[in-house]
Amino acid sequence: MLGYYSSLSAEVYDLDKPIGSSFGDIEYYLERLASCKGRILEPAVGTGRMLVPLLENGFQVDGFDVSEEMLQVCRANCKERGLSPELFNAKMESFSIDAKYAAIVIPTGTFLLLYEREKSLQALQNFYSHLETGGRLIVDLHVPSGIELEKTSTRKWQATNGDTLTVESKKVEVDWIQQHFVSQGRYERWHEGRLVETELERYPMRWYGVEEFTAILEAIGFTDVTITTDYQFGNYPKNADAIITFEATK
């Protein structure tokens, strides 16, 4: 079955990146948002890994995702903790709501799943339109490093019901001119030694040069663009293995 963040991958995501698990990003975002007094929006909210800590620290946060399966897990995670944020199904490039936000945040490179340049530009313009004056966009990106096609990695997890979940992943395509690559993941559920469920998913991902993305933000109308490496504020990247965070103001 070929899908996109379907039920099995949503379950794996929640096991692999549970609520509050951090790559340094949760602490960084909490610090950068400390002065934020208005509402925050998290596009591509996933299962709530970042959303829940923000809510538990007193921020008002809404979220959306293109995957209803991911949202179902996110709602359950929030309900378990007595939280009830506004969550809805939407796309980054086309969502339209009657609200303005003090901040829009997209951690861990999720924005790059918009691999088509036109749609990614539409999304950035959409974020700009949904920010209040003085509002901030904070988004994590990364650039490709050492892409090896067809090299396979396999990981596995134990589900709460005792099933074994496995993921075999590999990069299968790269387009250096259009600036995107495609990863493929095969998700499997094993119950008492038998394969009972499988999903095949393809994840095209775009990349941007650091100065390229800065120029795009400025062309849209953002100002005060700052670039951060590995959550060390203001440190300009020196290699392609880093997480690069852009912060910009409307």
Side-chain angles (χ1 to χ4, degrees):
M1 174 182 176
L2 184 63
Y4 192 69
Y5 281 119
S6 301
S7 58
L8 194 52
S9 59
E11 184 177 354
V12 167
Y13 189 95
D14 196 41
L15 289 170
D16 186 45
K17 301 177 180 68
I19 299 300
S21 60
S22 178
F23 314 104
D25 55 346
I26 290 179
E27 296 82 359
Y28 177 82
Y29 276 70
L30 287 172
E31 179 182 349
R32 296 303 303 159
L33 293 169
S35 62
C36 182
K37 303 303 181 184
R39 296 191 73 83
I40 298 169
L41 177 66
E42 185 183 357
V45 70
T47 59
R49 182 188 69 87
M50 173 72 73
L51 175 82
V52 168
L54 290 178
L55 291 168
E56 291 180 334
N57 277 271
F59 294 100
Q60 301 178 68
V61 193
D62 303 334
F64 69 81
D65 204 285
V66 70
S67 167
E68 188 59 40
E69 289 84 356
M70 295 286 267
L71 286 173
Q72 288 174 3
V73 177
C74 187
R75 292 186 183 104
N77 284 333
C78 289
K79 185 177 180 179
E80 286 176 7
R81 294 162 175 81
L83 303 169
S84 54
E86 182 68 29
L87 298 172
F88 55 98
N89 188 295
K91 297 179 179 179
M92 288 187 277
E93 70 272 26
S94 60
F95 78 96
S96 178
I97 54 177
D98 186 20
K100 298 287 186 181
Y101 291 93
I104 296 176
V105 298
I106 317 173
T108 63
T110 306
F111 177 73
L112 299 174
L113 288 169
L114 284 178
Y115 75 100
E116 297 170 289
R117 183 179 176 87
E118 181 179 349
K119 289 184 178 180
S120 64
L121 296 180
Q122 289 172 353
L124 290 171
Q125 183 63 65
N126 208 10
F127 299 154
Y128 187 87
S129 298
H130 283 84
L131 282 170
E132 59 189 36
T133 300
R136 288 178 291 161
L137 172 68
I138 309 178
V139 54
D140 291 348
L141 304 183
H142 52 78
V143 295
S145 174
I147 290 180
E148 295 183 67
L149 294 180
E150 298 294 341
K151 182 179 180 180
T152 301
S153 64
T154 303
R155 302 177 67 197
K156 67 179 180 180
W157 298 261
Q158 201 74 22
T160 54
N161 65 354
D163 289 353
T164 298
L165 306 180
T166 67
V167 179
E168 178 187 275
S169 59
K170 58 185 175 182
K171 293 181 174 64
V172 295
E173 300 173 22
V174 60
D175 188 326
W176 294 103
I177 301 301
Q178 297 300 321
Q179 293 179 225
H180 70 259
F181 62 85
V182 179
S183 296
Q184 180 173 288
R186 178 180 294 277
Y187 295 76
E188 296 180 343
R189 180 192 299 279
W190 294 81
H191 179 73
E192 296 180 350
R194 294 184 299 109
L195 177 64
V196 295
E197 186 179 0
T198 184
E199 291 174 0
L200 180 64
E201 301 199 331
R202 290 167 62 85
Y203 301 97
M205 294 197 74
R206 185 167 187 81
W207 73 82
Y208 290 93
V210 175
E211 297 302 326
E212 175 193 12
F213 197 73
T214 301
I216 289 171
L217 292 174
E218 291 174 342
I220 288 171
F222 286 102
T223 60
D224 302 324
V225 179
T226 59
I227 300 167
T228 291
T229 306
D230 289 336
Y231 307 116
Q232 302 298 310
F233 183 75
N235 284 0
Y236 194 87
K238 296 181 174 61
N239 60 67
D241 296 323
I243 295 293
I244 305 167
T245 305
F246 291 79
E247 184 172 329
T249 303
K250 177 175 178 179

